[in-house]
Amino acid sequence: IHRVTPAGNFIYVNQAWRNTLGYSEEDIRQLSLMDIVAEGCRDKCRYIFNALLGGERIDRNETVFLSKDGRRITVEGRCQTTFENGKVVAMTGIFRDISKRVKKDLALRESEHRFRMLFENSTDIMQIVSTNGHFLHVNPAWLKAFGYDRDEVSDLTIFDLIAPDCQGHCEKTFQKVLSEDRVHQIDTTF
């Protein structure tokens, strides 16, 4: 939690703020809000600051603060203005550190991108099917091998392509996969 003057100078910061950002009481007296906002976020923060001066309440704001040792700390929070006799006297921000979540989200997006690249560029036939056997996605190698185009695939199920003499075995294997059993290999004819 921090509280700043209309000029952006700190009036108050709580212990959690000091612990997270690493600034001492003396440091805080020398800093303004924009001193701790990362460069790429300053224009957005100035816009929000001006909105607060106009009396708006900001319920969800994500920005990046700079700790004393230079770490970038992504925070999310809400801000509001305090008035006395119709005049702005302070703005209060209540934030939480979401750096770990942001890092995990980035890692997940990168992982999904790598998977998508492998899936789309693989020379192996690859498919993703729903629990009822409908194709959700197939890779270009699949399309080439079976001779379908993407529009046609949406009307098919995996069982439409399995040879009749393999249907029973494949249906049992499919049910096994749905019950979260692992199937390392299956031989079938399409």
Side-chain angles (χ1 to χ4, degrees):
I1 298 171
H2 68 229
R3 194 168 161 95
V4 297
T5 67
N9 298 315
F10 289 102
I11 300 169
Y12 168 80
V13 300
N14 71 351
Q15 187 66 46
W17 190 100
R18 285 192 303 276
N19 292 346
T20 301
L21 296 173
Y23 294 105
S24 68
E25 291 283 347
E26 180 62 31
D27 295 329
I28 293 164
R29 285 192 284 277
Q30 308 299 318
L31 295 171
S32 72
L33 179 61
M34 289 303 156
D35 292 331
I36 68 156
V37 174
E39 192 166 324
C41 298
R42 288 183 184 149
D43 288 342
K44 177 184 170 188
C45 285
R46 283 186 191 99
Y47 175 82
I48 289 171
F49 197 82
N50 287 330
L52 287 166
L53 286 172
E56 286 186 48
R57 177 187 169 116
I58 308 297
D59 285 320
R60 192 165 185 167
N61 174 33
E62 186 175 307
T63 194
V64 179
F65 289 155
L66 297 173
S67 69
K68 184 174 181 173
D69 63 7
R71 287 178 297 117
R72 296 172 60 88
I73 300 172
T74 306
V75 296
E76 177 182 74
R78 64 180 192 268
C79 307
Q80 65 184 35
T81 308
T82 303
F83 292 90
E84 284 182 10
N85 300 322
K87 189 175 179 180
V88 176
V89 292
M91 274 87 71
T92 303
I94 301 171
F95 297 94
R96 63 187 164 125
D97 182 352
I98 60 168
S99 299
K100 288 179 183 175
R101 184 183 83 198
V102 169
K103 193 174 186 176
K104 285 180 184 176
D105 289 348
L106 179 60
L108 178 61
R109 281 194 304 274
E110 289 172 352
S111 176
E112 288 171 344
H113 176 72
R114 280 191 306 275
F115 171 78
R116 191 171 23 263
M117 293 301 291
L118 288 170
F119 188 89
E120 292 297 325
N121 294 305
S122 177
T123 57
D124 292 332
I125 296 167
M126 299 177 83
Q127 60 201 15
I128 300 173
V129 296
S130 68
T131 56
N132 62 6
H134 282 89
F135 290 103
L136 299 175
H137 195 71
V138 298
N139 71 344
W142 189 102
L143 294 170
K144 184 178 177 183
F146 290 107
Y148 289 96
D149 64 37
R150 288 206 186 275
D151 294 334
E152 294 172 304
V153 173
S154 63
D155 296 329
L156 297 172
T157 71
I158 193 164
F159 300 106
D160 294 329
L161 300 179
I162 296 172
D165 59 329
C166 297
Q167 287 281 334
H169 173 67
C170 287
E171 285 177 13
K172 286 178 189 171
T173 303
F174 193 76
Q175 291 306 314
K176 186 176 180 181
V177 170
L178 289 177
S179 68
E180 298 185 22
D181 280 345
R182 195 171 222 162
V183 176
H184 296 285
Q185 181 176 331
I186 179 173
D187 293 325
T188 193
T189 303
F190 287 100

